[in-house]
Amino acid sequence: MKKLLAVAATAGLGLTGLGATSASATTGTSGAFHPASLAWHTCRADIVNGAKAYDSAGPVQVSKIIQCAELQVPLDYAHPGGQKITLELTRLPHQGSGAAKGDILVNPGGPGGEGALFGASVYARNSAPMQAAYNVIGFDPRGVGFSTPKLSCDVDYSDAPRPEYGTGGRQDDATWLEKSKDYADACTRKFGRGAKVDLLDHIKTIDSVRDMDTIRQALGHKKLDYYGASYGTYLGQVYATVFGQNVGRMVLDGNVTPKNVWYDAQLTQDVAFNKNMDYYFGWIAKYDSTYHLGTTQAAVRSYYYALQDKLAAHPLTYTSGGKTVAVGEDELVDNIQNAAYRRSQAVWHSYAAALSAYKAGDVATFAGTFGAPTTGGSDDNTFAVYNAVQCSDTQWPKSWAKWHADAVRVNRNNPFLTWSNVWFNAPCMFWGAKAGTPVKVGQSKNLPNNILMFQATDDAATPYAGALELHKILRGSHLVVQDGDRTHCIVHRGDLRPGGVDSYFDAYFLNGTLPKTDTVHVSQLGDPTPPAATSSGKAR
């Protein structure tokens, strides 16, 4: 699903295909390539430092136990003896005595999400029995994070303030179409045909799926145990179709439907995100005594969109300590979108408090929450890989008239995300790599019948209807549904109740136990409340 330019978020979508060689995608083989065994070693300092962010999530300090290994894989599996690229892997070893029950390979989504450190996140949030039983294996997919080469096209692309997203006006369209084409062209120059590494033609979902099977072989396993979130569910479902005979236990969390890959996926997201943002505005109104933005959903909504229009016309800049940040329409939308991804006190309160601060004249707090640097560039790796995978997995419409007409139609009733989503994906109109043909998920005689799916009914990034479609496609799968929840990906989100979400996750991996019924429904934990006020009257 879509990722944010200004903020890292776990979500994403993607598809598969190998162009002229895509027919081989259903053969269930990684060709003649045989990987070397993994040599685990102490991780480099930046990976250890990254893991420290998860040290407080559980009793085990993951930064002290994380291990690393590098795995060479073919750039092109059609030529296994040819050019190689390197994947970065991490291992968080089990804490029990004796041999581990197994290795769980994990992926956070994107496309473009960094999986090496996601392994630390998953391990830290695993229950004590899971930590005792399983090693967790993280990996940065090809082109991502600590893997090499790392895809980056234009580090200045997201310098703030960016041109306003607009609503389909001629000048806005012309500005963004030129900006999108320039980005796609920069990617082609650096990583397209004729470059030192032609990564753009070999970064489709099917390429990463084959990498996953190579990781299985390098780990020395006949079967792959896997947990994938968001776009990671697409990697899992394609793997289960192509390499079904190699699937051990597989959990898919926040599910992508293969029927919408990828153009139509953004349109369904537009509707779902708008719904969740309206709900969030209602939540802010409920706590008007804290935020003072309006006592009704309509009042808060009006305040927000008036502010968005104001920042589109006159972006705010703020300088402190020699660092200048800006907040325009784009930066506001990109950041507050996180409130529609996850129902949590920390997320919901931080954005509401920042909006409240702006209304009260506290520009520093507002800019600190929503601002992005005006110069100096930023790491565009996530955005670059997102486009590289989605734009080449399958052919996107080449007609701007279609994009424009669809956006105008959807935006009429769903104004929050529609045009942001258009311009986030617009480089696909100009992408320099040949588009592939998607694997037909589920069409395999080796499809496993033990996949466990998790889904919230009001997930905006991967809407519930798509999860129901995938559940039917993955014959024999089981589905755990959290009713009324608005969180994207629900495993390890704090539902530790007996019979709650995490209990199903643990029972499956520890004992192979699937829910007794095809679909089981779990109640949500409830909406958060603002933090308690301090003696000064301000929320902590």
Side-chain angles (χ1 to χ4, degrees):
M1 82 141 263
K2 177 188 168 185
K3 278 187 169 282
L4 308 184
L5 283 175
V7 203
T10 300
L13 305 163
L15 193 60
T16 132
L18 265 187
T21 62
S22 63
S24 66
T26 58
T27 62
T29 175
S30 294
F33 182 71
H34 299 288
S37 298
L38 295 170
W40 297 104
H41 58 82
T42 300
C43 295
R44 47 195 267 190
D46 46 4
I47 295 180
V48 172
N49 289 334
K52 287 181 180 178
Y54 308 105
D55 278 351
S56 61
V60 178
Q61 287 192 293
V62 293
S63 66
K64 295 186 181 300
I65 65 170
I66 191 169
Q67 302 167 335
C68 287
E70 292 70 45
L71 178 64
Q72 284 200 327
V73 298
L75 174 67
D76 182 356
Y77 276 96
H79 303 285
Q83 190 173 11
K84 304 296 188 296
I85 57 176
T86 302
L87 306 182
E88 186 67 38
L89 277 66
T90 57
R91 179 172 68 175
L92 287 302
H94 75 293
Q95 298 298 295
S97 59
K101 187 178 184 69
D103 297 310
I104 302 176
L105 186 70
V106 299
N107 181 272
E114 294 190 7
L117 290 175
F118 184 63
S121 172
V122 170
Y123 188 90
R125 290 173 171 82
N126 268 346
S127 65
M130 285 290 292
Q131 289 182 346
Y134 278 99
N135 305 320
V136 174
I137 308 297
F139 76 105
D140 280 344
R142 52 178 58 205
V144 175
F146 297 105
S147 291
T148 53
K150 178 179 179 179
L151 185 62
S152 176
C153 303
D154 180 0
V155 296
D156 297 320
Y157 186 79
S158 60
D159 281 353
R162 285 168 286 129
E164 63 180 284
Y165 288 138
T167 56
R170 182 173 297 179
Q171 185 57 54
D172 292 331
D173 288 1
T175 299
W176 270 103
L177 288 171
E178 180 180 7
K179 185 176 175 69
S180 300
K181 185 179 186 303
D182 288 346
Y183 189 83
D185 289 348
C187 291
T188 300
R189 286 194 302 272
K190 294 182 179 181
F191 290 97
R193 291 169 195 169
K196 182 178 180 180
V197 181
D198 178 14
L199 192 58
L200 295 192
D201 279 318
H202 303 97
I203 197 170
K204 299 174 177 67
T205 296
I206 190 61
D207 295 306
S208 289
V209 163
R210 286 176 170 149
D211 288 342
M212 289 165 58
D213 201 58
T214 299
I215 293 171
R216 175 193 63 79
Q217 295 175 60
L219 289 167
H221 297 320
K222 291 183 178 180
K223 301 285 186 178
L224 179 74
D225 291 333
Y226 177 74
Y227 167 60
S230 193
Y231 166 76
T233 69
Y234 190 69
L235 287 173
Q237 60 193 259
V238 174
Y239 185 90
T241 301
V242 177
F243 297 105
Q245 72 278 9
N246 298 338
V247 172
R249 293 173 184 171
M250 177 175 286
V251 165
L252 307 180
D253 182 18
N255 294 272
V256 174
T257 172
K259 292 186 176 181
N260 283 350
V261 178
W262 287 123
Y263 177 79
D264 288 341
Q266 65 170 329
L267 302 178
T268 60
Q269 283 182 344
D270 295 341
V271 176
F273 270 100
N274 196 82
K275 178 182 176 182
N276 275 10
M277 286 305 299
D278 276 351
Y279 187 92
Y280 178 56
F281 295 149
W283 180 85
I284 294 174
K286 181 179 179 180
Y287 297 101
D288 184 61
S289 60
T290 299
Y291 302 116
H292 313 294
L293 295 174
T295 59
T296 66
Q297 180 192 66
V300 176
R301 184 194 299 115
S302 294
Y303 174 81
Y304 170 80
Y305 282 112
L307 176 58
Q308 183 176 306
D309 290 343
K310 178 181 178 179
L311 293 172
H314 304 287
L316 177 152
T317 57
Y318 180 79
T319 301
S320 177
K323 178 183 177 182
T324 301
V325 298
V327 187
E329 173 193 26
D330 305 9
E331 291 72 36
L332 179 69
V333 173
D334 285 357
N335 281 278
I336 204 170
Q337 183 188 346
N338 279 307
Y341 268 105
R342 184 174 180 183
R343 178 196 49 77
S344 79
Q345 183 190 77
V347 174
W348 283 19
H349 172 67
S350 64
Y351 294 119
L355 293 176
S356 180
Y358 179 83
K359 186 177 182 180
D362 181 358
V363 174
T365 296
F366 179 75
T369 300
F370 292 106
T374 58
T375 60
S378 60
D379 187 350
D380 72 325
N381 178 238
T382 293
F383 183 61
V385 175
Y386 172 90
N387 280 280
V389 175
Q390 294 218 342
C391 298
S392 62
D393 262 353
T394 189
Q395 183 62 63
W396 286 61
K398 290 293 187 182
S399 166
W400 172 240
K402 175 173 175 55
W403 285 63
H404 187 272
D406 285 341
V408 169
R409 171 178 54 82
V410 174
N411 187 74
R412 191 173 295 120
N413 296 313
N414 305 280
F416 173 70
L417 191 67
T418 300
W419 283 98
S420 164
N421 229 351
V422 167
W423 301 126
F424 198 90
N425 291 282
C428 288
M429 289 190 63
F430 311 103
W431 205 247
K434 183 178 180 179
T437 302
V439 165
K440 294 181 179 179
V441 170
Q443 295 191 15
S444 169
K445 64 180 180 180
N446 294 317
L447 189 72
N449 63 0
N450 67 330
I451 295 174
L452 181 58
M453 299 169 56
F454 290 86
Q455 186 73 30
T457 55
D458 292 291
D459 181 344
T462 53
Y464 182 50
L468 295 179
E469 290 175 341
L470 179 63
H471 181 39
K472 293 178 181 178
I473 291 169
L474 297 179
R475 303 178 301 277
S477 62
H478 285 66
L479 176 63
V480 176
V481 177
Q482 191 146 39
D483 292 308
D485 200 279
R486 299 173 188 278
T487 297
H488 177 50
C489 304
I490 58 177
V491 171
H492 292 161
R493 297 298 195 187
D495 191 357
L496 306 176
R497 301 170 294 177
V501 168
D502 287 0
S503 70
Y504 285 101
F505 181 84
D506 283 13
Y508 177 66
F509 273 119
L510 292 173
N511 305 312
T513 303
L514 288 163
K516 293 181 180 180
T517 57
D518 172 84
T519 301
V520 61
H521 291 264
V522 177
S523 62
Q524 67 161 316
L525 294 174
D527 288 341
T529 57
T534 64
S535 58
S536 66
K538 293 184 178 181
R540 284 193 289 261

